[in-house]
Amino acid sequence: RETLQIVRKMVEEGQAQAIMGNHEFNALAYATPDGRGGWLREHKPEKIEQHAQTQKQIAVSYPEEWQDWLQWFASLPLFLELDGLRAVHAAWCDESVAAFGNVGSLDSAVLHGIMDRGGSLYGNKEILLNGVELDLPPGYFFSDKSGFQRDKIRVRWWEKLGSEGVCTYRQAVFPDSQTVPDLAIPVGHEGLAGYPAEAPPVFFGHYWLPADRPPAPLKPNVACLDYSVAKGGKLTAYRWDGEQTLKVEKFVTAGTAASRK
């Protein structure tokens, strides 16, 4: 709740801009009826657990305030394309950005459209807010940070997948994982051309990079700023002054109490 208050005040006072993340979107879908007696984000055990602390800390204790937060979430853009700079929560894809070019506030009708898994907006929302995913071979799985077993991996969407670039599942997964099989990705399943070197620098979060990993660009014009501050890591930023090639020395961090012990 305090984090939300800090960020919103900065935005409203013109000191910052904010974008939609998967957690804000999930909160909206979790709170929006699907019109069939359920919710756009199902209230099944896994999802209830994921939302439990938010419900406890804000929705139950401050119900009217929570409705106001949901309206604010709905006003957040899914990406920013500024003068020479891009920002997105998980993955930049020109096609996905274009798909949301005319979408404004995510009111109930828009949310219903996005959550229609048969429509084009759902897949594009997944790319922007959750990243590009690749199915693992049958019988293999990946354990995420919460211990859930998944049969898909999030991949290095800024890299070219295929014979001329990343070509195994272990090379493709992001962050690195030794439990992902070091097997070749079948021809025709790659589907990624990479982020162009001439494109504006792009910044994103989402991936919970290891707290002990020194901040650095992933490519000359690509940077992740999520270094697991909620898991004892560091709050990480980049001071951008218009450069096309990002520099290691321009990453700025602030440690948490846990990380200083």
Side-chain angles (χ1 to χ4, degrees), residues 244-260:
Q244 174 67 18
T245 300
L246 304 179
K247 303 175 181 178
V248 172
E249 60 268 23
K250 298 193 71 175
F251 284 82
V252 182
T253 62
T256 64
S259 69
R260 289 195 296 267

Side-chain angles (χ1 to χ4, degrees), residues 5-136:
Q5 292 168 344
I6 291 170
V7 173
R8 186 170 179 176
K9 183 178 180 180
M10 291 174 68
V11 171
E12 291 177 344
E13 293 182 352
Q15 297 174 346
Q17 297 189 56
I19 57 176
M20 178 82 70
N22 60 316
H23 289 187
E24 290 77 30
F25 185 91
N26 289 345
L28 285 169
Y30 191 83
T32 302
D34 64 4
R36 302 185 298 275
W39 307 87
L40 289 182
R41 183 171 172 84
E42 292 181 88
H43 288 196
K44 56 185 181 181
E46 175 187 339
K47 302 297 190 292
I48 291 173
E49 180 183 344
Q50 291 173 351
H51 290 263
Q53 283 301 318
T54 301
Q55 295 294 304
K56 176 182 177 181
Q57 294 177 29
I58 311 178
V60 174
S61 302
Y62 307 94
E64 292 185 4
E65 180 183 317
W66 180 235
Q67 293 305 309
D68 185 55
W69 284 119
L70 291 171
Q71 292 182 27
W72 188 68
F73 293 164
S75 73
L76 296 173
L78 273 71
F79 57 88
L80 288 174
E81 184 152 24
L82 306 175
D83 186 11
L85 169 67
R86 290 170 171 174
V88 69
H89 183 69
W92 186 277
C93 169
D94 288 339
E95 291 78 9
S96 298
V97 167
F100 281 95
N102 296 320
V103 174
S105 178
L106 301 188
D107 58 23
S108 178
V110 173
L111 283 170
H112 275 78
I114 294 174
M115 292 302 289
D116 175 7
R117 298 196 176 211
S120 64
L121 285 181
Y122 180 82
N124 287 304
K125 180 272 297 183
E126 287 288 291
I127 289 173
L128 296 174
L129 299 187
N130 290 289
V132 178
E133 294 188 329
L134 189 66
D135 291 328
L136 287 172

Side-chain angles (χ1 to χ4, degrees), residues 165-188:
V166 173
C167 57
T168 73
Y169 291 97
R170 190 173 296 177
Q171 290 173 336
V173 69
F174 186 76
D176 296 335
S177 171
Q178 296 304 307
T179 65
V180 172
D182 197 23
L183 300 175
I185 299 170
V187 175

Side-chain angles (χ1 to χ4, degrees), residues 185-234:
I185 299 170
V187 175
H189 289 258
E190 309 95 338
L192 286 180
Y195 189 72
E198 67 277 8
V202 59
F203 297 90
F204 55 95
H206 185 62
Y207 291 92
W208 292 80
L209 296 182
D212 59 355
R213 176 172 173 162
L218 299 166
K219 284 182 68 173
N221 59 340
V222 176
C224 179
L225 299 176
D226 183 348
Y227 285 83
S228 300
V229 65
K231 297 286 186 178
K234 294 181 178 180

